[in-house]
Amino acid sequence: MIKEIRQYSRQMVRELDLLKGVFRDSGCSYSQCHALFEIEQKGILNLMELSKLLLLDKSTTSRTVKGLVEQGYVKMEKIAQDQRQKLYSLTEEGQQIVKMNNESANAQVTQAIELLDEQERLRVEEGLKFYARALERSRLQSAYLIRPICQEDNQRVGRVIREVMTEYGAVGEGYSIEDPEVDQMYETYNNSRAAFFVICKDEEILGCGGIGPLAGGEATTCELKKMYFLPELRGIGFGKRLVFLCLEEARRIGYQECYLETVERMWQANLLYKKMGFQLLPEPKGCTGHSGCDSWYVKKL
Amino acid sequence: MIKEIRQYSRQMVRELDLLKGVFRDSGCSYSQCHALFEIEQKGILNLMELSKLLLLDKSTTSRTVKGLVEQGYVKMEKIAQDQRQKLYSLTEEGQQIVKMNNESANAQVTQAIELLDEQERLRVEEGLKFYARALERSRLQSAYLIRPICQEDNQRVGRVIREVMTEYGAVGEGYSIEDPEVDQMYETYNNSRAAFFVICKDEEILGCGGIGPLAGGEATTCELKKMYFLPELRGIGFGKRLVFLCLEEARRIGYQECYLETVERMWQANLLYKKMGFQLLPEPKGCTGHSGCDSWYVKKL
DNA sequence: GAAGATTGAAACCTCAATCTTT
DNA sequence: AAAGATTGAGGTTTCAATCTTC
């Protein structure tokens, strides 16, 4: 399947590349047209932001915009707060060009899309969306690594747990932030019925989570425990990966169901658990001593 | 929807562009890696073919391959039949590089695709396939034009009809190639119950087709007639467009069903009719006098 | 020192002109 | 003349170095 996807994506990129010819009429290079488009989208932006959007080196971007300013399509202004930045926005004429270019590009795409039926169009939209998103997540994730916890991580893991729980106001009695294990995660989970992972960038630890036996529960039930991500790590798909990894490990150990408890205000986490097939429970299981929690989930393994 | 599709495709292209960085390790430029890949796919090819596959100017391609030959990844040979061409193929070392590059590219794509579930992966594959195909067809179609027939077309349309019918052996008694109208399509279809279109590139006519009343049939039934495409025009989606146009015209005139007859060995046409919702009939309708036909279809309008 | 922007050198690409073979 | 390939001039892009402001 990878082979097919690569093949189709090569074909698609090739065709899209040919479409770029449309912009020749406007008297600007393709990169200049792209720059005009992105400036129009954002309204106003500086060189670095534009450079990232265009996927061009800042030096190229600088020269590209220089041409546009000379042609009178883009105007530059400075702000008092930061004399380093140059902020670019479109002139009247620039807006005209963007509008024209957009119309011809839309016409081209429309012409192609009209060859498909309604069902196929939806497939195209969804397919492109999923693939773009997957590639982005994969790129963002590639800077980080998931690995089992080791003893040297204890201190930094403790810090992550405290920071995230504090962020969500899960502090004080009835919350796991008070558990003595917080500073000794390695020792606590280093046994045949448990597993604990950390997510790090270089030496820095940014997230963690693991499984262990559910205190006061059946022997076949495990608990998904201490899953906390610093903000930097959120929204790039690591939650799904870590939960998946934990559930796999739980199955390997021999557990038959996985329980977890959390607070409703950690909405990203709650959404993730539901997506991963966890069922909301009306009341807690076992006796974890975490009376501050207000949401309980379980999933068969 | 066009807006969404353009947005996602921009995002996707941007991400794919970032993936190109993988090839840096091999010591070749991205274009060189791409060239190695395409040479490996085809086995052996000349400069012009390679240039088309890479979407690069032949001059760039020449320089790109020159570098690869110097590095010992590609070998050049000439053939006796045509001393103009240079044929390129991979050396052992070149194959090694391609294999390495392919593995790392596959790994990258795999990493992204693994973030999706089975359903989403299928959507990606289908979506990319549909879009690549639609863009290609749209590009190929843009060289041609569909328009109503005019009197000056008569001779050239007659030639197209005879050429295609002869190609499929639909010659002699019982075939419409004998109809006197073949040389006077404009006059025959220039009335309020009929319509006839031609597909042309510049002045050259490459295909035709139209509708008219079904001889010996009910007044509410029309016949799809004389639809013939020269080989150049096949496989780029014009059949669908022309049939669609004819059916629209038939509805406008007030017909309630559309009949057509053809021969089974024109398999592309038969496939098209089925796809467009025509039902195969066990026997002919009306009395067209075309006893050579062996397939009859009808579609409600 | 770090962030935003520009500049110089070199690589890459296109267009047009040219060379060689058919 | 046409098709395949190469070469020269000039635009586009990157990398690294530099300038300016915070």
Side-chain angles (χ1 to χ4, degrees):
Chain A
M1 179 167 209
I2 297 298
K3 202 180 152 195
E4 280 78 21
I5 288 179
R6 283 189 60 205
Q7 184 198 324
Y8 296 137
S9 100
R10 261 197 311 276
Q11 279 175 22
M12 215 200 74
V13 169
R14 185 173 303 167
E15 294 294 338
L16 288 172
D17 227 65
L18 291 175
L19 282 190
K20 288 181 181 172
V22 180
F23 300 113
R24 288 283 157 75
D25 304 334
S26 67
C28 298
S29 73
Y30 170 71
S31 287
Q32 288 183 320
C33 291
H34 191 180
L36 288 173
F37 176 83
E38 296 290 356
I39 297 174
E40 200 260 356
Q41 292 285 303
K42 297 283 171 182
I44 187 163
L45 38 63
N46 65 25
L47 194 78
M48 297 303 288
E49 291 167 330
L50 186 56
S51 156
K52 278 199 186 93
L53 290 170
L54 299 180
L55 273 187
L56 291 174
D57 190 82
K58 56 183 179 173
S59 59
T60 313
T61 310
S62 174
R63 287 166 176 133
T64 304
V65 179
K66 197 177 169 188
L68 291 171
V69 172
E70 279 166 8
Q71 288 179 276
Y73 297 146
V74 168
K75 57 175 183 282
M76 186 268 283
E77 46 196 319
K78 289 207 165 197
I79 42 169
Q81 303 102 287
D82 187 347
Q83 286 287 320
R84 289 175 303 180
Q85 289 186 61
K86 292 187 172 180
L87 294 176
Y88 295 103
S89 55
L90 294 187
T91 62
E92 288 288 328
E93 287 171 326
Q95 304 211 353
Q96 295 273 325
I97 298 280
V98 170
K99 205 178 154 197
M100 261 181 39
N101 282 342
N102 251 324
E103 275 165 14
S104 42
N106 277 339
Q108 288 270 354
V109 174
T110 303
Q111 207 170 24
I113 290 299
E114 270 177 354
L115 298 176
L116 302 172
D117 63 36
E118 196 52 35
Q119 168 89 342
E120 292 169 333
R121 288 175 202 175
L122 277 173
R123 290 280 188 279
V124 169
E125 188 183 344
E126 280 189 334
L128 293 178
K129 185 169 73 178
F130 286 141
Y131 197 38
R133 192 169 166 70
L135 288 168
E136 184 191 14
R137 289 194 159 191
S138 168
R139 173 170 57 83
L140 292 172
Q141 287 189 8
S142 69
Y144 308 95
L145 175 75
I146 303 186
R147 61 167 172 77
I149 192 172
C150 62
Q151 189 152 25
E152 295 74 44
D153 299 326
N154 273 345
Q155 201 188 342
R156 279 174 296 194
V157 169
R159 210 180 306 144
V160 168
I161 295 174
R162 289 205 178 78
E163 195 165 324
V164 177
M165 297 200 78
T166 308
E167 175 190 350
Y168 284 92
V171 200
E173 202 167 338
Y175 288 108
S176 63
I177 195 171
E178 303 278 336
D179 295 349
E181 67 178 51
V182 167
D183 286 308
Q184 287 172 14
M185 298 301 282
Y186 173 72
E187 288 77 8
T188 315
Y189 289 81
N190 186 24
N191 64 69
S192 64
R193 304 286 292 165
F196 202 82
F197 303 95
V198 297
I199 304 175
C200 51
K201 179 166 73 177
D202 304 322
E203 294 307 298
E204 197 182 358
I205 287 178
L206 295 153
C208 62
I211 50 154
L214 172 59
E218 294 168 32
T220 56
T221 299
C222 69
E223 186 185 357
L224 183 65
K225 298 169 81 171
K226 301 263 186 307
M227 196 169 100
Y228 298 112
F229 290 5
L230 291 181
E232 176 184 338
L233 204 58
R234 294 173 200 164
I236 55 176
F238 263 114
K240 193 172 161 186
R241 277 183 66 186
L242 186 57
V243 172
F244 192 80
L245 190 62
C246 287
L247 295 182
E248 257 188 340
E249 191 61 18
R251 275 188 210 98
R252 200 190 56 75
I253 293 172
Y255 288 112
Q256 283 166 30
E257 65 173 17
C258 180
Y259 167 80
L260 71 87
E261 45 192 30
T262 182
V263 292
E264 215 180 329
R265 53 190 182 282
M266 292 189 180
W267 59 273
Q268 299 106 317
N270 280 272
L271 211 63
L272 172 67
Y273 299 137
K274 281 174 198 147
K275 262 197 194 165
M276 298 285 294
F278 279 84
Q279 303 289 325
L280 198 57
L281 294 176
E283 53 185 25
K285 294 182 76 150
C287 42
T288 61
H290 300 148
S291 57
C293 290
D294 55 16
S295 301
W296 313 276
Y297 292 87
V298 75
K299 178 183 162 78
K300 293 272 169 242
L301 297 180
Chain B
M1 180 168 210
I2 297 296
K3 201 179 153 192
E4 279 78 21
I5 288 180
R6 284 189 59 205
Q7 185 198 323
Y8 296 137
S9 101
R10 260 197 311 276
Q11 280 176 19
M12 215 199 74
V13 170
R14 184 173 302 166
E15 294 295 339
L16 287 173
D17 227 64
L18 291 175
L19 282 191
K20 289 181 181 172
V22 181
F23 299 113
R24 288 284 155 73
D25 304 335
S26 68
C28 297
S29 74
Y30 170 71
S31 287
Q32 287 184 321
C33 292
H34 190 180
L36 288 173
F37 176 82
E38 298 289 356
I39 297 174
E40 202 262 317
Q41 292 285 304
K42 298 282 173 183
I44 187 162
L45 37 62
N46 66 25
L47 195 76
M48 297 302 288
E49 291 167 331
L50 185 57
S51 157
K52 278 198 186 93
L53 290 170
L54 299 180
L55 273 187
L56 291 175
D57 189 83
K58 55 182 180 172
S59 59
T60 313
T61 311
S62 174
R63 287 165 177 134
T64 304
V65 178
K66 197 177 169 188
L68 290 171
V69 172
E70 279 166 8
Q71 287 178 279
Y73 298 146
V74 169
K75 58 174 182 283
M76 187 268 284
E77 44 196 320
K78 290 207 166 197
I79 42 168
Q81 303 103 287
D82 188 347
Q83 286 287 321
R84 289 175 303 180
Q85 287 187 61
K86 291 187 174 180
L87 295 175
Y88 295 103
S89 55
L90 294 187
T91 62
E92 287 290 326
E93 287 172 326
Q95 304 209 352
Q96 296 273 324
I97 299 279
V98 169
K99 203 178 155 198
M100 262 180 40
N101 281 344
N102 251 325
E103 274 165 15
S104 43
N106 278 340
Q108 289 270 353
V109 174
T110 303
Q111 205 169 26
I113 290 299
E114 269 177 354
L115 299 175
L116 301 172
D117 62 37
E118 196 51 35
Q119 167 89 343
E120 292 170 332
R121 288 174 204 176
L122 276 174
R123 289 280 190 278
V124 169
E125 188 185 344
E126 280 190 332
L128 293 179
K129 185 169 72 178
F130 287 141
Y131 197 39
R133 191 169 168 71
L135 288 168
E136 185 191 15
R137 290 194 158 192
S138 168
R139 173 170 56 83
L140 292 172
Q141 287 189 7
S142 68
Y144 307 94
L145 176 74
I146 303 187
R147 60 168 172 78
I149 192 173
C150 60
Q151 188 153 26
E152 295 74 44
D153 298 327
N154 273 345
Q155 202 190 338
R156 278 174 297 196
V157 169
R159 209 181 308 144
V160 168
I161 295 175
R162 289 205 176 79
E163 194 165 324
V164 177
M165 296 199 78
T166 307
E167 175 189 349
Y168 284 92
V171 201
E173 203 167 336
Y175 289 109
S176 64
I177 196 172
E178 302 278 336
D179 296 349
E181 66 178 53
V182 167
D183 285 309
Q184 289 174 11
M185 298 300 285
Y186 173 72
E187 289 77 7
T188 313
Y189 289 81
N190 186 24
N191 64 67
S192 63
R193 303 284 293 164
F196 202 82
F197 303 96
V198 297
I199 303 176
C200 49
K201 180 166 75 177
D202 305 322
E203 294 308 297
E204 199 182 356
I205 288 180
L206 295 154
C208 62
I211 50 153
L214 171 60
E218 295 169 31
T220 55
T221 300
C222 69
E223 185 185 356
L224 183 67
K225 298 169 81 171
K226 301 263 187 306
M227 196 169 102
Y228 297 112
F229 289 6
L230 290 181
E232 175 184 339
L233 204 58
R234 294 172 201 164
I236 56 176
F238 265 113
K240 193 171 162 186
R241 276 183 67 185
L242 186 57
V243 171
F244 192 80
L245 190 62
C246 287
L247 296 181
E248 257 187 341
E249 192 61 19
R251 277 189 208 97
R252 200 190 56 74
I253 292 171
Y255 288 113
Q256 284 167 26
E257 65 172 18
C258 181
Y259 168 79
L260 72 87
E261 44 191 29
T262 182
V263 292
E264 215 181 329
R265 56 192 180 278
M266 293 190 180
W267 58 273
Q268 299 106 319
N270 280 272
L271 211 65
L272 172 67
Y273 300 137
K274 280 173 199 149
K275 261 197 193 166
M276 298 286 292
F278 280 84
Q279 302 290 324
L280 198 57
L281 295 175
E283 52 187 26
K285 294 182 76 149
C287 41
T288 62
H290 299 147
S291 58
C293 290
D294 55 16
S295 301
W296 313 278
Y297 292 88
V298 75
K299 179 184 162 77
K300 293 270 169 243
L301 298 179

